[in-house]
Amino acid sequence: MSRIDVTEKIITTKVAKGLKWADVAARVGQSKEWTTAACLGQMTLTAEQAGIVGEIFGLTPDEQRWLTVVPYKGSLPTSVPTDPLIYRFYELINVYGTTFKELIHEEFGDGIMSAIDFKMDLQREPHPAGDRVSITMSGKFLPYKTY
Amino acid sequence: MSRIDVTEKIITTKVAKGLKWADVAARVGQSKEWTTAACLGQMTLTAEQAGIVGEIFGLTPDEQRWLTVVPYKGSLPTSVPTDPLIYRFYELINVYGTTFKELIHEEFGDGIMSAIDFKMDLQREPHPAGDRVSITMSGKFLPYKTY
Amino acid sequence: MSRIDVTEKIITTKVAKGLKWADVAARVGQSKEWTTAACLGQMTLTAEQAGIVGEIFGLTPDEQRWLTVVPYKGSLPTSVPTDPLIYRFYELINVYGTTFKELIHEEFGDGIMSAIDFKMDLQREPHPAGDRVSITMSGKFLPYKTY
Amino acid sequence: MSRIDVTEKIITTKVAKGLKWADVAARVGQSKEWTTAACLGQMTLTAEQAGIVGEIFGLTPDEQRWLTVVPYKGSLPTSVPTDPLIYRFYELINVYGTTFKELIHEEFGDGIMSAIDFKMDLQREPHPAGDRVSITMSGKFLPYKTY
Amino acid sequence: MSRIDVTEKIITTKVAKGLKWADVAARVGQSKEWTTAACLGQMTLTAEQAGIVGEIFGLTPDEQRWLTVVPYKGSLPTSVPTDPLIYRFYELINVYGTTFKELIHEEFGDGIMSAIDFKMDLQREPHPAGDRVSITMSGKFLPYKTY
Amino acid sequence: MSRIDVTEKIITTKVAKGLKWADVAARVGQSKEWTTAACLGQMTLTAEQAGIVGEIFGLTPDEQRWLTVVPYKGSLPTSVPTDPLIYRFYELINVYGTTFKELIHEEFGDGIMSAIDFKMDLQREPHPAGDRVSITMSGKFLPYKTY
Amino acid sequence: MSRIDVTEKIITTKVAKGLKWADVAARVGQSKEWTTAACLGQMTLTAEQAGIVGEIFGLTPDEQRWLTVVPYKGSLPTSVPTDPLIYRFYELINVYGTTFKELIHEEFGDGIMSAIDFKMDLQREPHPAGDRVSITMSGKFLPYKTY
Amino acid sequence: MSRIDVTEKIITTKVAKGLKWADVAARVGQSKEWTTAACLGQMTLTAEQAGIVGEIFGLTPDEQRWLTVVPYKGSLPTSVPTDPLIYRFYELINVYGTTFKELIHEEFGDGIMSAIDFKMDLQREPHPAGDRVSITMSGKFLPYKTY
Amino acid sequence: MSRIDVTEKIITTKVAKGLKWADVAARVGQSKEWTTAACLGQMTLTAEQAGIVGEIFGLTPDEQRWLTVVPYKGSLPTSVPTDPLIYRFYELINVYGTTFKELIHEEFGDGIMSAIDFKMDLQREPHPAGDRVSITMSGKFLPYKTY
Amino acid sequence: MSRIDVTEKIITTKVAKGLKWADVAARVGQSKEWTTAACLGQMTLTAEQAGIVGEIFGLTPDEQRWLTVVPYKGSLPTSVPTDPLIYRFYELINVYGTTFKELIHEEFGDGIMSAIDFKMDLQREPHPAGDRVSITMSGKFLPYKTY
């Protein structure tokens, strides 16, 4: 058994039962972004959180225990994603990557935006010409230091 | 001559003169995000915008004309970026890519967030434990249609 | 269970029963192009469409439900396709890609042809020197905007 | 000197003089699709065509002669294109590739659509919800034969 | 079930029964080159041919039907083959590829040798210093046309 | 200076002077296949052959000397060739590679067709439905031996 | 069933029984180098050799027959090997590859060292500062010929 | 200036002057294998050795100094070599890699053959059926240790 | 059965029983670094060590025997790791690789730090601004020698 | 001009003048590790530090200014390094990567060792059996947080 098996069971059960991530997140008591990533095998749950998720998706105690083990992260099957929705984010990095770099360095100096001390929020933004997806990312700036 | 030559001249001049993208953007009259991407060879300028940029960076009329030609986009030298700052964004897609997909589909159905009808805003978010980088992305949702 | 399992079952059943995509499409009430892509795991069906497809291919209710879940798209096993028929399309992009780019930009300015708000039609074009395959693609032009 | 050098000179001159492919094609007396591909180094010109193109772009006799030499084809710098406009066509093959294959085989049997005995036409398709790019491709069907 | 399963069954049976491709071909009534390629999952058989092959290799009616479905072609597990015999052919393309190109263009002008309207013949060529493999390939020349 | 420089000079001169490989081969006294490969930097010439080639293409003594040095072979810029003519040969290996393997082993046992002790002949094969390219390859069979 | 299955059975049995390749080779009557390669799926055995190997590893008649079929060669899972022992050999080619090339050409002219008409011998070389691995390779020189 | 420039100058001079590696090695006082690798930019020379090599190839003092700097090693342009002679060595690793591994471990236990504390000797081995290339490699065995 | 199967059983059992590597190491009598690598399929155990590990994880005698066989090393599924923790080490090599090279050569001359005669120690380093991971690596310097 | 040009000038000057990184670091007043990385184009210098480095290596004011611009990081030409010294570090990640992951998670929970808030120290460790390279890395542990 591995975390991947547990992730597949969660996804299969979600489709069979017609569950929603937002509802799962409400029961877990975390944001829908973090909860979805955790159920998809990218984050580590506490024993209590694993118990709630286990109840929702009918996981055995062993399967729940896997949710509390730090997973080998990375959710995509290829280094350049083929799925159109996910590719658009990859394209944004290709087109705007050097822009991100220039503007963060102009504002903060040498360093990075943390992808660990990080949170995000995804919302529908109503718009007369067609609703928009709005994503706000917030990551701590980590400066390079001399030594 | 090519757009890449013009981009290199812009970057070289920026370092030599110690310019700031925010100031360039103010003179161009667009956001700093769009202006930086344009100066880095990813966006197309109007003749007027090209004139302003040309004046700032000392571009010849031919070089300014290149700014008005649609560029071959993509600003990164490798498919998996090696620069730590840019890699962190790639990592976010690797870890959160399937989460983006699940949540956008849960909210909107099948389709994508446009990377074309798209804008973003990058700000410093003051925080007692260390300031944070805050990025807000907004892209129109484009639904797949049956036919 | 996953969408891939459902796709394989559909293909296996199609061979065993000797079905035609055009007939499947007629029963689903959509074009043969969209219907084939949907049955091959690239599009999302409504519950009603899934019911019809399920009846044709003998799918269980759970399998039908998978047809209504947005799939992870991308139908090819390698980034450069090995199948001669599919490779010819890849070759067209290699040979004509920059031509597509130049002519679309000459006509519309900076932007793209949408691959989402998109439809296509594939027909036999009779010809004395040998019949031809005729494919008409129609995608909405999406302009880049400044901000 | 190589064909690539000639292509670069043509592109540089086109930007400097503000020429249009449609006008070049009219003078060459071929479609804008073929003419653009030829000027971008993908097709072979007759001596007469090379003379016209040479006059438009100010090419030397040696440079014109290169236009009449069959080029090493392939116009893209990477196997998966990074430019958003060109990538959309690659995505179409990824999503619809197996659909192309199924429908062509259903209509014609085993074989391919020729990418050599091939022509295409790219037009603006006016539409109230935003104009569309319409591309019609026509390639001879070539059947596999037994022997 | 898929064509790959049928191919594997054919190969397994061939080893178990100690069959020869030349004998299979004689019964199918086609060349040994085409017949082998077809049994290895690269060509499409008629129902009658599939019946003969099915009898030889003990295939079920469903497995025979798969032989009449156009396969996803490409028989090698890696883009650069590791098997020494097959690699030698890849090496020939690497060393002689540009020579093929120059000589075919010198003789025929711009175009290709068809890999579809194609046949080949493989024979032992006796030689005092060691017998030789002789392969004759014949493919229709397909010219690029202007339009 | 390197062999690549000499190859480029030969190609440039050939275009400028409008030479034919068949004529070059006649003067060198070897087949057009070997001579073309040699001029394209894949074979090693004797001093005498280098002198003839040098006279034809106007090479300096140093450049002629490079023709007598064993080159680093491999004439293609990418592992999967993008040029349609050359790709067709790669496709033949992909489709027929396992067929070559089976038939050569059936005839000769374990071993390979040499790509070194090898010659080939490329001819136009007149045909009422369109002329064909005929290529005959002959390579010594090299058996694996036990030890 | 495939040769890979037979190889895996041989390896599993070897571990379970604690056999040594040198002893297997002694019974087969060939060198330990050739015998090991053969048992690992890289060489073809005679029926008699297959019988001996089959007896040692408890193979069925069908499994023994697979040993007499020419295998698809190549024993490594990745093009750049990850195992440190095997990587060192790859590194030697990277560092010394051009040296091999220069010295063999200096001694023999244009051609290659055969990897088919090839044998090798691997021995422990006692040394006060630590024993050494000594490998002697012997491959027939195959000259390129003109034609 | 870089080591690569010096290597290119050495190679160019060697061709122009018609030098032999064996003669260079004799003057340097090291084996032809080590000397060739060093001249090709893979090994580090002492100041004295650099002086001798500098004299032979007409290197400036600065160029000689580069020979005494440890180079970035790796002499091949692609991870799978295209040159037939060098590829044969790569093929040997592909076919015999697991055999090397098994036999070295059987003789020595877990560890590697050093590619650093390593030497080799390349000789012509006369043979009535055609001379052979004989290469003897000797590398110290380095055992993995527990800690 | 293979070493990979044994590794998977160890990992599955560790999660099910909630074991700690430090405790396993204490019972094996080796460092936690070496013991973890060994249990993850990268090192070879003595029969005695295998017995202890077998007892802890409930391995059969055959499974224990696999622990004493030298494994095919390399623990990562992709050449550029996707897991953020492991990627950070890859990034360090990308950013600091040439620095490692310069400083080791400055101190020791040409050669390498052995990855075989190597040990490491990983500790928590308490720090008021947040605890740190401290890793000390020690590898024997192996000099390149002339010959 | 770019940072890469400045890096190359620094390296060329270092060889020509025979400088040592340790001496450069002493004058800059930082560790030899950080100073070397900075001079090799991986770190950002203050104006003052750039002045000192500029004086040592004879850089123009413009070149010194480039040292104060945040560089595009990544110092290796290939994703799997070919240089033996640098490869050994890559091999350590391949062999020990999952061990790093297990032990850091066992000690700290889910998170990473920062490669930004990071320092390292490289020393010679005298040893009777041959001196050793000792590297101590210290990176802040960054925990993943829920939100």
Side-chain angles (χ1 to χ4, degrees):
Chain A
M1 196 197 300
S2 74
R3 180 70 181 263
I4 290 170
D5 299 323
V6 181
T7 300
E8 285 180 1
K9 183 169 179 183
I10 287 176
I11 293 173
T12 298
T13 306
K14 179 174 176 293
V15 171
K17 294 196 175 174
L19 302 172
K20 282 196 173 309
W21 294 117
D23 297 337
V24 175
R27 285 187 57 187
V28 173
Q30 298 290 340
S31 69
K32 68 182 180 307
E33 290 79 11
W34 183 88
T35 306
T36 305
C39 289
L40 294 176
Q42 304 299 315
M43 298 290 157
T44 312
L45 290 84
T46 62
E48 192 187 5
Q49 291 167 338
I52 297 169
V53 168
E55 200 180 328
I56 296 172
F57 293 103
L59 306 178
T60 67
D62 260 22
E63 289 167 339
Q64 292 179 28
R65 213 167 285 123
W66 270 102
L67 293 177
T68 67
V69 174
V70 183
Y72 191 93
K73 298 182 174 80
S75 66
L76 303 179
T78 49
S79 66
V80 176
T82 61
D83 183 81
L85 182 140
I86 298 177
Y87 180 81
R88 294 307 180 277
F89 290 95
Y90 180 75
E91 182 178 302
L92 287 172
I93 296 178
N94 239 309
V95 171
Y96 283 107
T98 47
T99 295
F100 289 149
K101 186 170 173 62
E102 289 287 327
L103 293 179
I104 292 176
H105 292 329
E106 184 162 307
E107 179 66 32
F108 292 92
D110 198 356
I112 62 159
M113 180 185 85
S114 180
I116 309 296
D117 187 338
F118 173 85
K119 64 184 176 184
M120 68 162 178
D121 183 48
L122 192 154
Q123 298 293 343
R124 176 189 287 262
E125 184 188 342
H127 195 282
D131 286 4
R132 301 176 75 84
V133 181
S134 175
I135 300 177
T136 303
M137 298 172 157
S138 165
K140 189 177 179 182
F141 179 75
L142 303 179
Y144 271 99
K145 290 168 188 161
T146 58
Y147 53 91
Chain B
M1 195 198 299
S2 74
R3 180 70 182 264
I4 291 169
D5 300 323
V6 181
T7 301
E8 285 180 1
K9 183 170 178 181
I10 287 176
I11 293 173
T12 299
T13 307
K14 180 176 176 292
V15 171
K17 293 197 176 174
L19 301 172
K20 282 194 173 309
W21 294 116
D23 298 337
V24 175
R27 286 186 58 186
V28 173
Q30 299 290 341
S31 69
K32 67 182 181 306
E33 289 78 11
W34 183 88
T35 307
T36 305
C39 289
L40 294 176
Q42 304 298 315
M43 299 289 157
T44 312
L45 290 84
T46 62
E48 192 187 5
Q49 291 167 338
I52 297 169
V53 168
E55 201 181 326
I56 296 172
F57 294 103
L59 306 179
T60 67
D62 260 22
E63 289 167 338
Q64 293 179 28
R65 214 167 284 123
W66 270 103
L67 294 176
T68 68
V69 175
V70 183
Y72 191 93
K73 298 181 172 80
S75 66
L76 303 179
T78 50
S79 67
V80 176
T82 60
D83 182 81
L85 182 140
I86 298 177
Y87 181 81
R88 294 306 180 276
F89 290 95
Y90 181 75
E91 182 178 303
L92 287 172
I93 295 178
N94 239 310
V95 171
Y96 283 107
T98 48
T99 296
F100 288 149
K101 187 171 173 62
E102 289 288 329
L103 293 179
I104 292 175
H105 292 329
E106 183 162 306
E107 178 67 32
F108 291 93
D110 197 356
I112 62 159
M113 180 185 82
S114 180
I116 308 296
D117 188 338
F118 172 86
K119 63 184 177 185
M120 69 162 179
D121 184 48
L122 192 154
Q123 298 293 343
R124 175 189 288 263
E125 185 188 340
H127 195 282
D131 286 4
R132 301 176 73 85
V133 181
S134 175
I135 300 177
T136 302
M137 297 171 158
S138 164
K140 189 178 179 182
F141 179 74
L142 303 180
Y144 271 98
K145 290 167 189 163
T146 58
Y147 54 90
Chain C
M1 197 198 299
S2 74
R3 180 70 181 264
I4 290 169
D5 300 324
V6 181
T7 300
E8 285 180 1
K9 184 169 178 183
I10 286 176
I11 293 173
T12 298
T13 306
K14 179 175 176 292
V15 171
K17 294 197 177 173
L19 302 172
K20 281 195 174 310
W21 294 118
D23 298 338
V24 175
R27 286 186 58 187
V28 172
Q30 299 290 341
S31 68
K32 66 182 182 307
E33 290 79 12
W34 183 88
T35 306
T36 305
C39 289
L40 293 176
Q42 304 299 314
M43 298 289 157
T44 312
L45 290 83
T46 62
E48 193 187 3
Q49 292 167 336
I52 297 169
V53 168
E55 201 180 327
I56 297 171
F57 293 103
L59 306 179
T60 67
D62 259 22
E63 289 168 339
Q64 293 180 28
R65 213 166 285 124
W66 270 102
L67 294 176
T68 67
V69 174
V70 184
Y72 191 94
K73 299 182 173 79
S75 65
L76 304 178
T78 49
S79 66
V80 176
T82 61
D83 183 81
L85 182 140
I86 298 177
Y87 181 81
R88 294 307 180 276
F89 290 95
Y90 180 75
E91 182 177 304
L92 287 172
I93 295 178
N94 239 310
V95 171
Y96 282 108
T98 48
T99 296
F100 288 149
K101 185 171 174 62
E102 290 287 328
L103 292 178
I104 292 175
H105 292 329
E106 184 162 306
E107 179 67 30
F108 291 93
D110 197 356
I112 62 159
M113 181 185 84
S114 180
I116 308 296
D117 188 339
F118 173 86
K119 62 183 176 186
M120 68 162 180
D121 183 49
L122 192 153
Q123 298 293 341
R124 175 189 287 262
E125 184 188 342
H127 195 281
D131 286 3
R132 300 176 73 84
V133 181
S134 175
I135 300 177
T136 303
M137 297 172 159
S138 165
K140 188 177 179 182
F141 179 75
L142 303 179
Y144 271 98
K145 289 166 189 162
T146 57
Y147 53 92
Chain D
M1 198 198 299
S2 73
R3 180 69 181 265
I4 291 169
D5 300 323
V6 181
T7 300
E8 285 180 2
K9 183 170 178 181
I10 287 176
I11 294 174
T12 299
T13 307
K14 180 177 175 292
V15 171
K17 293 197 177 175
L19 302 171
K20 282 195 173 311
W21 295 116
D23 297 337
V24 175
R27 287 186 58 186
V28 172
Q30 299 289 340
S31 68
K32 67 182 181 305
E33 290 79 12
W34 183 87
T35 307
T36 306
C39 289
L40 294 176
Q42 304 298 315
M43 299 289 157
T44 312
L45 290 85
T46 62
E48 193 187 3
Q49 291 167 338
I52 297 169
V53 168
E55 200 180 327
I56 297 172
F57 294 104
L59 305 178
T60 68
D62 259 23
E63 289 167 338
Q64 293 179 30
R65 214 166 285 122
W66 270 103
L67 294 176
T68 68
V69 175
V70 183
Y72 191 94
K73 298 182 174 79
S75 66
L76 303 180
T78 50
S79 67
V80 176
T82 61
D83 183 81
L85 183 141
I86 298 177
Y87 181 81
R88 294 307 180 276
F89 290 94
Y90 180 76
E91 182 178 304
L92 288 172
I93 295 178
N94 239 309
V95 171
Y96 283 107
T98 48
T99 295
F100 287 148
K101 186 170 173 64
E102 290 288 328
L103 292 178
I104 292 175
H105 293 329
E106 184 162 305
E107 179 66 31
F108 292 92
D110 197 356
I112 62 158
M113 180 184 84
S114 180
I116 308 296
D117 188 339
F118 173 85
K119 63 183 176 186
M120 69 161 179
D121 183 47
L122 191 154
Q123 298 293 342
R124 175 189 287 264
E125 185 188 341
H127 196 283
D131 286 4
R132 301 177 74 84
V133 180
S134 175
I135 300 177
T136 303
M137 298 171 157
S138 164
K140 190 179 178 181
F141 179 75
L142 303 178
Y144 271 100
K145 290 166 188 164
T146 57
Y147 55 89
Chain E
M1 198 197 298
S2 74
R3 180 72 181 264
I4 291 169
D5 300 324
V6 181
T7 301
E8 285 180 1
K9 183 168 179 183
I10 287 176
I11 294 174
T12 298
T13 307
K14 179 176 177 292
V15 171
K17 295 196 176 174
L19 302 172
K20 282 196 173 308
W21 293 118
D23 297 336
V24 176
R27 287 186 57 189
V28 172
Q30 299 290 339
S31 68
K32 67 182 181 308
E33 290 79 11
W34 183 88
T35 307
T36 306
C39 289
L40 294 176
Q42 304 299 315
M43 297 290 157
T44 311
L45 290 83
T46 63
E48 192 187 5
Q49 292 166 337
I52 297 169
V53 169
E55 200 181 328
I56 297 171
F57 293 104
L59 305 179
T60 67
D62 259 21
E63 288 167 340
Q64 292 180 29
R65 213 165 286 123
W66 269 103
L67 294 176
T68 68
V69 175
V70 184
Y72 190 94
K73 298 182 173 79
S75 65
L76 304 179
T78 49
S79 65
V80 176
T82 61
D83 183 82
L85 182 140
I86 298 177
Y87 181 81
R88 294 306 181 277
F89 290 94
Y90 180 76
E91 182 177 304
L92 287 172
I93 296 178
N94 239 311
V95 170
Y96 282 108
T98 48
T99 295
F100 288 149
K101 186 170 173 63
E102 289 287 329
L103 293 178
I104 292 175
H105 292 329
E106 184 162 307
E107 179 66 31
F108 291 93
D110 197 356
I112 62 160
M113 181 184 85
S114 180
I116 309 295
D117 188 338
F118 173 86
K119 62 183 177 187
M120 67 161 181
D121 183 48
L122 192 153
Q123 298 294 341
R124 175 190 288 263
E125 184 188 343
H127 196 282
D131 286 4
R132 301 176 73 84
V133 181
S134 175
I135 300 177
T136 303
M137 298 171 158
S138 165
K140 189 179 179 182
F141 179 74
L142 303 179
Y144 271 98
K145 290 166 189 163
T146 57
Y147 54 91
Chain F
M1 197 198 300
S2 73
R3 180 69 182 264
I4 290 169
D5 299 323
V6 181
T7 300
E8 285 180 2
K9 183 169 178 182
I10 287 175
I11 293 173
T12 298
T13 307
K14 179 176 177 292
V15 171
K17 293 196 175 174
L19 302 171
K20 283 195 174 309
W21 294 118
D23 298 337
V24 175
R27 287 186 57 188
V28 172
Q30 299 290 339
S31 68
K32 68 182 180 306
E33 290 78 12
W34 183 88
T35 307
T36 306
C39 289
L40 293 176
Q42 304 298 316
M43 298 289 158
T44 311
L45 291 84
T46 62
E48 192 187 4
Q49 292 167 336
I52 297 169
V53 168
E55 200 180 328
I56 297 172
F57 294 104
L59 305 179
T60 67
D62 260 22
E63 289 167 339
Q64 293 180 29
R65 214 166 285 125
W66 270 103
L67 293 176
T68 67
V69 175
V70 183
Y72 191 95
K73 297 182 174 78
S75 66
L76 303 180
T78 50
S79 65
V80 176
T82 61
D83 183 81
L85 183 141
I86 298 176
Y87 182 81
R88 293 307 179 278
F89 290 94
Y90 180 76
E91 182 178 304
L92 287 172
I93 296 178
N94 239 310
V95 171
Y96 282 108
T98 49
T99 295
F100 288 148
K101 186 170 174 63
E102 289 287 329
L103 293 178
I104 292 175
H105 293 328
E106 184 162 306
E107 179 66 31
F108 292 92
D110 197 356
I112 63 160
M113 179 184 84
S114 180
I116 307 296
D117 187 339
F118 173 87
K119 64 183 176 186
M120 69 162 179
D121 183 47
L122 191 153
Q123 297 293 341
R124 174 188 288 264
E125 184 188 341
H127 196 281
D131 286 4
R132 301 176 74 83
V133 180
S134 175
I135 300 177
T136 303
M137 298 171 158
S138 164
K140 189 178 180 181
F141 179 74
L142 304 179
Y144 271 99
K145 291 166 188 163
T146 57
Y147 54 90
Chain G
M1 197 198 299
S2 73
R3 180 71 182 264
I4 291 169
D5 300 323
V6 181
T7 301
E8 285 179 3
K9 183 169 178 181
I10 287 175
I11 294 173
T12 299
T13 307
K14 178 175 176 293
V15 171
K17 294 196 176 173
L19 302 171
K20 282 195 172 310
W21 293 118
D23 298 337
V24 176
R27 287 186 56 188
V28 173
Q30 299 290 340
S31 68
K32 67 182 181 306
E33 290 78 11
W34 183 87
T35 307
T36 305
C39 289
L40 294 176
Q42 303 299 315
M43 298 289 158
T44 312
L45 291 83
T46 62
E48 192 187 5
Q49 291 165 339
I52 297 168
V53 168
E55 200 181 327
I56 297 172
F57 294 104
L59 304 179
T60 68
D62 259 21
E63 289 168 339
Q64 293 179 30
R65 214 167 285 123
W66 270 102
L67 294 176
T68 68
V69 175
V70 184
Y72 191 94
K73 298 182 173 79
S75 66
L76 303 180
T78 49
S79 66
V80 176
T82 61
D83 183 82
L85 182 141
I86 298 176
Y87 181 82
R88 293 306 180 276
F89 290 94
Y90 180 76
E91 182 177 304
L92 287 173
I93 295 177
N94 239 310
V95 171
Y96 282 108
T98 49
T99 296
F100 288 149
K101 186 170 173 64
E102 290 287 328
L103 293 178
I104 292 175
H105 292 329
E106 184 162 305
E107 179 67 32
F108 291 92
D110 197 357
I112 62 158
M113 180 184 84
S114 181
I116 308 296
D117 188 339
F118 173 86
K119 62 183 176 187
M120 69 162 181
D121 183 48
L122 192 154
Q123 297 294 341
R124 175 189 286 264
E125 184 189 342
H127 195 282
D131 286 4
R132 301 177 73 84
V133 181
S134 175
I135 301 176
T136 302
M137 298 170 158
S138 164
K140 189 179 180 182
F141 179 74
L142 303 179
Y144 271 99
K145 290 165 189 165
T146 58
Y147 54 92
Chain H
M1 197 198 301
S2 74
R3 180 70 181 263
I4 291 169
D5 299 324
V6 181
T7 300
E8 286 180 0
K9 184 170 178 182
I10 287 176
I11 294 173
T12 298
T13 306
K14 177 175 178 294
V15 171
K17 294 196 175 173
L19 302 172
K20 282 195 174 310
W21 293 118
D23 297 337
V24 175
R27 287 185 57 187
V28 172
Q30 299 289 341
S31 67
K32 67 182 181 306
E33 290 78 11
W34 183 88
T35 306
T36 306
C39 289
L40 294 175
Q42 304 298 315
M43 298 290 158
T44 311
L45 291 84
T46 62
E48 192 187 4
Q49 292 166 336
I52 297 168
V53 169
E55 200 180 328
I56 297 172
F57 293 104
L59 306 179
T60 67
D62 260 21
E63 288 168 339
Q64 293 180 28
R65 214 166 284 125
W66 270 102
L67 294 176
T68 67
V69 175
V70 183
Y72 190 95
K73 298 181 173 79
S75 66
L76 303 179
T78 50
S79 65
V80 176
T82 61
D83 183 81
L85 182 141
I86 298 177
Y87 181 81
R88 294 306 180 278
F89 290 94
Y90 180 76
E91 182 177 304
L92 287 172
I93 296 178
N94 239 310
V95 170
Y96 282 108
T98 49
T99 295
F100 288 148
K101 186 170 173 62
E102 289 288 329
L103 293 178
I104 292 175
H105 292 328
E106 184 162 306
E107 179 66 31
F108 291 92
D110 197 356
I112 63 161
M113 180 184 84
S114 180
I116 308 295
D117 188 340
F118 173 86
K119 62 184 176 186
M120 67 162 180
D121 184 47
L122 192 154
Q123 298 293 341
R124 174 189 288 263
E125 184 188 343
H127 195 281
D131 286 4
R132 301 176 73 84
V133 181
S134 175
I135 300 177
T136 304
M137 297 171 160
S138 164
K140 189 177 179 182
F141 179 74
L142 303 179
Y144 271 100
K145 291 167 188 163
T146 57
Y147 54 90
Chain I
M1 196 197 300
S2 73
R3 180 70 182 265
I4 290 169
D5 299 324
V6 181
T7 301
E8 284 179 2
K9 183 169 179 182
I10 287 175
I11 293 174
T12 298
T13 307
K14 179 176 176 293
V15 170
K17 294 196 176 174
L19 302 172
K20 282 195 173 312
W21 294 118
D23 298 337
V24 176
R27 286 187 57 187
V28 172
Q30 299 290 340
S31 68
K32 67 182 182 306
E33 289 79 12
W34 184 89
T35 307
T36 305
C39 289
L40 294 176
Q42 304 299 314
M43 298 289 157
T44 311
L45 290 83
T46 62
E48 191 188 4
Q49 291 166 337
I52 297 169
V53 168
E55 200 180 328
I56 296 173
F57 293 103
L59 305 179
T60 67
D62 259 22
E63 288 167 339
Q64 292 179 30
R65 213 167 284 123
W66 270 102
L67 294 177
T68 67
V69 175
V70 183
Y72 191 94
K73 298 182 174 78
S75 65
L76 302 180
T78 49
S79 67
V80 175
T82 61
D83 183 81
L85 182 141
I86 298 176
Y87 181 81
R88 294 307 180 275
F89 290 95
Y90 180 76
E91 181 177 303
L92 287 172
I93 295 177
N94 239 309
V95 171
Y96 283 107
T98 48
T99 296
F100 288 149
K101 186 170 173 64
E102 290 288 326
L103 292 179
I104 292 175
H105 292 330
E106 184 162 306
E107 179 67 32
F108 292 92
D110 198 356
I112 62 158
M113 180 184 85
S114 180
I116 308 297
D117 188 339
F118 173 85
K119 63 183 176 185
M120 68 161 179
D121 183 47
L122 192 154
Q123 297 294 342
R124 175 189 287 263
E125 183 189 341
H127 195 282
D131 286 5
R132 301 177 74 84
V133 180
S134 175
I135 301 177
T136 303
M137 299 171 156
S138 164
K140 189 179 180 182
F141 179 75
L142 303 179
Y144 271 99
K145 291 167 187 162
T146 57
Y147 55 92
Chain J
M1 195 198 301
S2 73
R3 180 69 181 265
I4 290 169
D5 299 324
V6 181
T7 300
E8 285 179 1
K9 184 169 177 183
I10 287 176
I11 294 173
T12 298
T13 306
K14 179 174 177 293
V15 171
K17 295 196 176 174
L19 302 173
K20 283 195 173 309
W21 293 117
D23 297 337
V24 175
R27 285 186 58 186
V28 172
Q30 300 290 340
S31 67
K32 67 182 180 306
E33 290 79 10
W34 183 88
T35 306
T36 305
C39 289
L40 294 176
Q42 304 298 315
M43 299 289 157
T44 312
L45 290 84
T46 62
E48 192 187 5
Q49 291 166 337
I52 297 168
V53 168
E55 201 180 327
I56 296 172
F57 293 103
L59 305 179
T60 67
D62 260 22
E63 289 168 339
Q64 293 180 28
R65 213 166 285 123
W66 270 103
L67 294 176
T68 67
V69 174
V70 183
Y72 190 94
K73 299 181 173 79
S75 64
L76 304 178
T78 50
S79 66
V80 176
T82 60
D83 183 81
L85 182 140
I86 298 177
Y87 180 80
R88 293 306 180 277
F89 290 94
Y90 180 75
E91 182 177 303
L92 287 172
I93 296 178
N94 238 310
V95 171
Y96 282 108
T98 49
T99 296
F100 288 149
K101 187 170 172 62
E102 290 287 328
L103 293 178
I104 292 176
H105 291 329
E106 184 161 306
E107 178 66 31
F108 291 92
D110 197 355
I112 62 160
M113 180 184 84
S114 180
I116 309 295
D117 187 340
F118 173 86
K119 62 183 177 186
M120 68 162 180
D121 183 48
L122 192 154
Q123 297 294 343
R124 175 189 287 263
E125 185 189 341
H127 195 282
D131 286 3
R132 301 176 74 84
V133 180
S134 174
I135 300 177
T136 303
M137 296 171 159
S138 164
K140 188 178 178 182
F141 179 74
L142 302 179
Y144 271 100
K145 290 166 189 164
T146 58
Y147 53 91

